[in-house]
Amino acid sequence: MTQAAAIEFDHVAYGVGDLSAEFSFSRAPGSVTAILGPSGAGKSTLLNLAAGFLAPRTGRILINGKPVNDLPPPERGVSMVFQDNNLFAHLDIRTNIGLGLDPALRLDAGGWRQVETALDRVGLAGFGKRQPASLSGGERQRVALARAFVRRRPLLLLDEPFDGLGPGLAADMLGLMLEIRAEVGATVLMVTHDPDEARAAADQILLVSKGQIAADAAAAGFFERHDLPELEAYLGRRPQP
Amino acid sequence: MLTRSEHRASRAVGVAALVLIGLALAAPVSVLVSQGAGSGLAGTQGDYLLRITRFTLLQAGLSTLLSVALAVPLARSLARRPSFKGRRWLINLFAVPLALPPLVAALGLLEVWGRNGVANNGLALFGLETPFSIYGLSGILIAHVFFNMPLAARLILPGLERLPPEYWKTAANLGMGGLSLFRLVEWPAMRRSAGGAAGLVFMLCATSFTLVLVLGGGPAATTLEVAIYQALRFDFDPGRAVLLSAIQIGLTLAVMLGLRLISLPTEAGDTKGGATDRPDVARGWRALPDALLIAAAGAFVGAPLVAVIVSGLAADLGRLLSDAQFWRAAGTSLMIGLAAATVSVSLAGLMVRARYSVGEPPASVWLSLLSGLSAAAGSLTLLVPPVVLGAGWFLMLGGGAGQLLAPLSVIVLINALMALPFVIRVIEPAHASAMERNGRLALSLGITGFNRIRQIDIPAMLAPLATGFVFAVALSLGDLGAIALFGSDRIVTLPWLLYQKLGSYRTADAAGLALLLGAATMVLMIIADRLGARLGPASWAGRHQP
Amino acid sequence: MRSFRYLTPALAIFVPLLAGPAISADKTLTVYTYESFVAEWGPGPKIEAAFEADCGCDLKWVGVADGVALLNRLKLEGDRSEAGVVLGLDTNLVAEAKATGLFEAHGLDTAAVSVPGGYSDEVFIPYDYGHFAVIYDSEAIANPPTSLKDLVEGDPEQKIVIQDPRTSTPGLGLLLWMKSVYGDDAAAAWEKLSQRVLTVTPGWSEAYGLFTSGEAPMVLSYTVSPAYHMVAEETERYQAAEFSEGHYLQIEVAGMLAHAPDKDLAREFLAFMMTPGFQNEIPTQNWMMPAAPITMELPQAFSKLVTPEKTFLYSSDEVAENRAAWIEEWLGAMSR
């Protein structure tokens, strides 16, 4: 491999005691990784470390081969989408997206055109002047994706972004996310608790348990494996009737 | 869930309570008006009234501006630093000025900001010859900021803390700088509560009495309330007192109507200490501006309190405690407080019950009138400030001189009415939820009437009733407004005694007394707060500053 | 419902209050006076002891902020007042006090009384006098004002504490002093002086307390005041400023009330007031000049005091006629 990993955790340790975690893994550019695990296992901690919201105790985080431990969040080349509250509720849709282009909102006409294009791309053309509260949950997540789209950062971090949208809608959104990822050329780390979502979207899996990576494997056939006690416990599998 | 007869009884006593409150408010006002109609206007009086009104508005406006302008960055800094050591302690400290009798606070402020105080001695170290004066406008402003800046900060802070943590992560992720974050996220979140806080602070400062009385600098720094007091006790000029009262009522009415437009914030200081750190905020030496601001605010609020404690402990507390005059004043204060609290809690209970009985929406015009009036009764007592209320009764009783029971009853009544809005606010939600819980059950068990009140309703509401009661006692204990008009050698309360000691410059005695009085009210306020905390976030935010 | 059952304790709370203060001794004389007269360090306690030794009665002082407030209180109380004697009005207020109809002629021989310019009245008896003066802290002020004009026009950063003429006789005295010197221009002078006024207190004791605690370098008091500091504190730090225009004179008086519960006792007190038993306490306790013979020697310090060459004094009728208007004028000028 001549190309640097899109993201690499090199013995990254965080916290102490019961809440401690340590991660080591790396991902190639353009890959889509689903991060699975029981709640409290440290999935969000992993994303927050990558985004720069949390600082590791020891170890190195590299993005595109560059150590980013000392870089503040905006300089890491990361876009992030949460489950909720991605949009500032008091700002209209176009402002919310525009902030992705310039955090002080100094946009010229070209900037605003880009915003409109992004809205169009996620199927929300003409929604620019509306307030987030007047949109459905799925529509709001589309806006968040539109913002990630205009930002065009190489690493896209998703924290259970389509949870609570219902199966049909979540599948649509997943598709949209994958398209956008392809257009931007981003590497994706996606926390999910839905095995189906992981199966449909991811080509790789990170199974996190008790602050450790229990499994780092290809997605294909992963859920059919029976050699991982953590996976058995996570899926709550019992003998088929 | 009440029976037919319970409904009838609830409404009947509700009406009775309303009539009592109405009389207590209307009688003095009508006396003021009729007395005022009888006396003419002196030549230069118009000019004087205009200036007093202008100064009242000016000092209230400036106090509000300063308080809120300082509270906004302070609240922002506190929100940016959600987990430093002593944060919870500091936020509690910010609640102390509200609970403190204004007179006690004034003493502390004099110690810190007086000619020989810490502040001026500090300035002198830097070679500043001209000392800062605590008297006049500057003193009034400092005192009002001391009381209201922490209040405003506590009102504004929750607006920021309620924002979801994702906002800060998104802001950090997008790289929003401090300025654009303030403009686009923080200020919009603070704007509403800052506006509400500004309205409330303006109202409190426009009706401020004690602080202006002690720290005002003569006729040039006099507010309407103090001028009313002076017109009665200095000049015995009812005509002028009436005119001033009319202006004061008009002013508070205008402010209250204005407040309706901007909606008052209700939750204060409901803060989640120990929340996760803000990823958008820099640490290390770049935390210095926040740290300095927070430390300065803590020192500003804390110093006068420390001064009260230090100089109080330096006083001869033993001699003070063996003084019969002190115990007489303490006894009178306590009796007035207990009586006022009993009246206040009873009236509040009756009105809350009546309002519950009327239901939502009211079934008839009369019932909706009853409901509306009970709701308004609380605010009405804010509309007619204690000094105005006292002024009316003062004229009715011919100054109350040589009398004992009548002026005492009036003081009790005024203190009870002052506490009423806050007692209602504590009792009403608790009553509603108690009814929700027990109503059907009581009805199905056939427990009605007195039995029900004794066995079910009162026990279920013991905590809120106690909270309201203790709060009313504390409020009454620190009040100078009512006693200022009626105080005499026969009726001496602790604040009145303190005011006299301060006046005759028995500084050591005053300091000791201030410490005792401050400690007593603080203990009561803490008890009320602890009791109230069990009911959920009760708010003392709107406490009238006597 | 709940109301009557649970309001009863509220009413019960009033019961101890109804009892009021205990009444003791057969004969009681209540004397209304100003705050500083009855303070622990004032003449009140010693005079009380001296009078009670002979009268077989209980002398009860009631201290009111200051002299003018005394008159206000009497007007308020009317004939309900429990007072027998009022001590602490001054000649400026005499006409107004008589107009209330609350006072009664004392019928006593006042030959022993001697005050500057002489004063004789069938209702009020002088008990001391003094000249108003601005007292300054010589450690804070190097060049004290040498005239009222100097005071009015001096450096606004050097503050003075004055008393409110609506409550205090020194406050009223300054008002009349300014009127004596400035006449119709008094309002403008007050407006200018207000720049130098740190604060206006209801009584003399508040003002003097602020001064001695260092809040202001000047205070309105009496020419005798420095004697207190020389005698009691052995310091010449506080001095009276001599004003070239002259000083306003104050003669403090006492009178008995028509509704006095025991008129004989009230008269007895007024007679006692003119004897050395009372007068001896005036110079070194009230720090004023005695209005009748004393049997003690004045301390050395009294010879070092400012003795005004010219004095002002309005007749009490003139004051009664104009006081309300002049106070209006003062309020107007001071609130500007």
PDB file of all heavy atoms in Angstrom, chain A residues 61-73:
ATOM      1  N   ILE A  61      -3.570   9.907  16.391  1.00  0.00           N
ATOM      2  CA  ILE A  61      -4.627   9.813  15.390  1.00  0.00           C
ATOM      3  C   ILE A  61      -4.063  10.441  14.123  1.00  0.00           C
ATOM      4  O   ILE A  61      -3.516  11.548  14.149  1.00  0.00           O
ATOM      5  CB  ILE A  61      -5.889  10.565  15.835  1.00  0.00           C
ATOM      6  CG1 ILE A  61      -6.441   9.967  17.140  1.00  0.00           C
ATOM      7  CG2 ILE A  61      -6.950  10.538  14.745  1.00  0.00           C
ATOM      8  CD1 ILE A  61      -7.548  10.779  17.757  1.00  0.00           C
ATOM      9  N   LEU A  62      -4.170   9.719  12.981  1.00  0.00           N
ATOM     10  CA  LEU A  62      -3.669  10.247  11.709  1.00  0.00           C
ATOM     11  C   LEU A  62      -4.799  10.294  10.702  1.00  0.00           C
ATOM     12  O   LEU A  62      -5.590   9.355  10.588  1.00  0.00           O
ATOM     13  CB  LEU A  62      -2.526   9.382  11.171  1.00  0.00           C
ATOM     14  CG  LEU A  62      -1.286   9.273  12.063  1.00  0.00           C
ATOM     15  CD1 LEU A  62      -1.333   7.977  12.862  1.00  0.00           C
ATOM     16  CD2 LEU A  62      -0.025   9.375  11.229  1.00  0.00           C
ATOM     17  N   ILE A  63      -4.901  11.424  10.025  1.00  0.00           N
ATOM     18  CA  ILE A  63      -5.878  11.530   8.938  1.00  0.00           C
ATOM     19  C   ILE A  63      -5.087  11.816   7.662  1.00  0.00           C
ATOM     20  O   ILE A  63      -4.288  12.764   7.620  1.00  0.00           O
ATOM     21  CB  ILE A  63      -6.902  12.648   9.224  1.00  0.00           C
ATOM     22  CG1 ILE A  63      -7.768  12.235  10.433  1.00  0.00           C
ATOM     23  CG2 ILE A  63      -7.790  12.895   8.006  1.00  0.00           C
ATOM     24  CD1 ILE A  63      -8.787  13.249  10.865  1.00  0.00           C
ATOM     25  N   ASN A  64      -5.275  10.982   6.685  1.00  0.00           N
ATOM     26  CA  ASN A  64      -4.471  11.040   5.467  1.00  0.00           C
ATOM     27  C   ASN A  64      -2.972  11.058   5.766  1.00  0.00           C
ATOM     28  O   ASN A  64      -2.215  11.817   5.173  1.00  0.00           O
ATOM     29  CB  ASN A  64      -4.847  12.253   4.601  1.00  0.00           C
ATOM     30  CG  ASN A  64      -6.225  12.073   4.003  1.00  0.00           C
ATOM     31  OD1 ASN A  64      -6.681  10.936   3.772  1.00  0.00           O
ATOM     32  ND2 ASN A  64      -6.909  13.179   3.767  1.00  0.00           N
ATOM     33  N   GLY A  65      -2.593  10.271   6.744  1.00  0.00           N
ATOM     34  CA  GLY A  65      -1.188  10.131   7.082  1.00  0.00           C
ATOM     35  C   GLY A  65      -0.622  11.237   7.941  1.00  0.00           C
ATOM     36  O   GLY A  65       0.534  11.190   8.337  1.00  0.00           O
ATOM     37  N   LYS A  66      -1.450  12.224   8.266  1.00  0.00           N
ATOM     38  CA  LYS A  66      -0.958  13.374   9.032  1.00  0.00           C
ATOM     39  C   LYS A  66      -1.454  13.281  10.472  1.00  0.00           C
ATOM     40  O   LYS A  66      -2.649  13.104  10.695  1.00  0.00           O
ATOM     41  CB  LYS A  66      -1.482  14.665   8.378  1.00  0.00           C
ATOM     42  CG  LYS A  66      -0.602  15.866   8.620  1.00  0.00           C
ATOM     43  CD  LYS A  66      -1.076  17.055   7.789  1.00  0.00           C
ATOM     44  CE  LYS A  66      -2.269  17.718   8.454  1.00  0.00           C
ATOM     45  NZ  LYS A  66      -2.777  18.890   7.761  1.00  0.00           N
ATOM     46  N   PRO A  67      -0.539  13.394  11.445  1.00  0.00           N
ATOM     47  CA  PRO A  67      -1.014  13.369  12.844  1.00  0.00           C
ATOM     48  C   PRO A  67      -1.896  14.592  13.108  1.00  0.00           C
ATOM     49  O   PRO A  67      -1.514  15.709  12.736  1.00  0.00           O
ATOM     50  CB  PRO A  67       0.267  13.452  13.669  1.00  0.00           C
ATOM     51  CG  PRO A  67       1.394  13.280  12.719  1.00  0.00           C
ATOM     52  CD  PRO A  67       0.911  13.595  11.354  1.00  0.00           C
ATOM     53  N   VAL A  68      -3.044  14.364  13.723  1.00  0.00           N
ATOM     54  CA  VAL A  68      -3.977  15.483  13.948  1.00  0.00           C
ATOM     55  C   VAL A  68      -4.239  15.723  15.433  1.00  0.00           C
ATOM     56  O   VAL A  68      -5.082  16.528  15.777  1.00  0.00           O
ATOM     57  CB  VAL A  68      -5.317  15.250  13.222  1.00  0.00           C
ATOM     58  CG1 VAL A  68      -5.109  15.239  11.720  1.00  0.00           C
ATOM     59  CG2 VAL A  68      -5.968  13.953  13.698  1.00  0.00           C
ATOM     60  N   ASN A  69      -3.507  15.030  16.295  1.00  0.00           N
ATOM     61  CA  ASN A  69      -3.771  15.161  17.742  1.00  0.00           C
ATOM     62  C   ASN A  69      -3.863  16.619  18.197  1.00  0.00           C
ATOM     63  O   ASN A  69      -4.704  16.966  18.999  1.00  0.00           O
ATOM     64  CB  ASN A  69      -2.658  14.488  18.544  1.00  0.00           C
ATOM     65  CG  ASN A  69      -2.815  12.989  18.548  1.00  0.00           C
ATOM     66  OD1 ASN A  69      -3.182  12.435  17.518  1.00  0.00           O
ATOM     67  ND2 ASN A  69      -2.557  12.349  19.678  1.00  0.00           N
ATOM     68  N   ASP A  70      -2.977  17.456  17.655  1.00  0.00           N
ATOM     69  CA  ASP A  70      -2.941  18.833  18.123  1.00  0.00           C
ATOM     70  C   ASP A  70      -3.750  19.790  17.251  1.00  0.00           C
ATOM     71  O   ASP A  70      -3.753  20.991  17.484  1.00  0.00           O
ATOM     72  CB  ASP A  70      -1.489  19.318  18.182  1.00  0.00           C
ATOM     73  CG  ASP A  70      -0.698  18.523  19.218  1.00  0.00           C
ATOM     74  OD1 ASP A  70      -1.323  18.101  20.220  1.00  0.00           O
ATOM     75  OD2 ASP A  70       0.507  18.296  19.007  1.00  0.00           O
ATOM     76  N   LEU A  71      -4.445  19.229  16.245  1.00  0.00           N
ATOM     77  CA  LEU A  71      -5.242  20.104  15.376  1.00  0.00           C
ATOM     78  C   LEU A  71      -6.633  20.304  15.972  1.00  0.00           C
ATOM     79  O   LEU A  71      -7.267  19.356  16.410  1.00  0.00           O
ATOM     80  CB  LEU A  71      -5.373  19.493  13.985  1.00  0.00           C
ATOM     81  CG  LEU A  71      -4.180  19.602  13.045  1.00  0.00           C
ATOM     82  CD1 LEU A  71      -4.564  19.065  11.661  1.00  0.00           C
ATOM     83  CD2 LEU A  71      -3.702  21.042  12.926  1.00  0.00           C
ATOM     84  N   PRO A  72      -7.139  21.545  15.979  1.00  0.00           N
ATOM     85  CA  PRO A  72      -8.512  21.775  16.428  1.00  0.00           C
ATOM     86  C   PRO A  72      -9.499  21.176  15.424  1.00  0.00           C
ATOM     87  O   PRO A  72      -9.137  20.952  14.256  1.00  0.00           O
ATOM     88  CB  PRO A  72      -8.627  23.292  16.489  1.00  0.00           C
ATOM     89  CG  PRO A  72      -7.553  23.808  15.597  1.00  0.00           C
ATOM     90  CD  PRO A  72      -6.451  22.794  15.628  1.00  0.00           C
ATOM     91  N   PRO A  73     -10.728  20.930  15.852  1.00  0.00           N
ATOM     92  CA  PRO A  73     -11.696  20.220  15.013  1.00  0.00           C
ATOM     93  C   PRO A  73     -11.830  20.752  13.586  1.00  0.00           C
ATOM     94  O   PRO A  73     -11.828  19.960  12.647  1.00  0.00           O
ATOM     95  CB  PRO A  73     -13.007  20.365  15.792  1.00  0.00           C
ATOM     96  CG  PRO A  73     -12.583  20.535  17.211  1.00  0.00           C
ATOM     97  CD  PRO A  73     -11.265  21.235  17.176  1.00  0.00           C
TER      98      PRO A  73
END
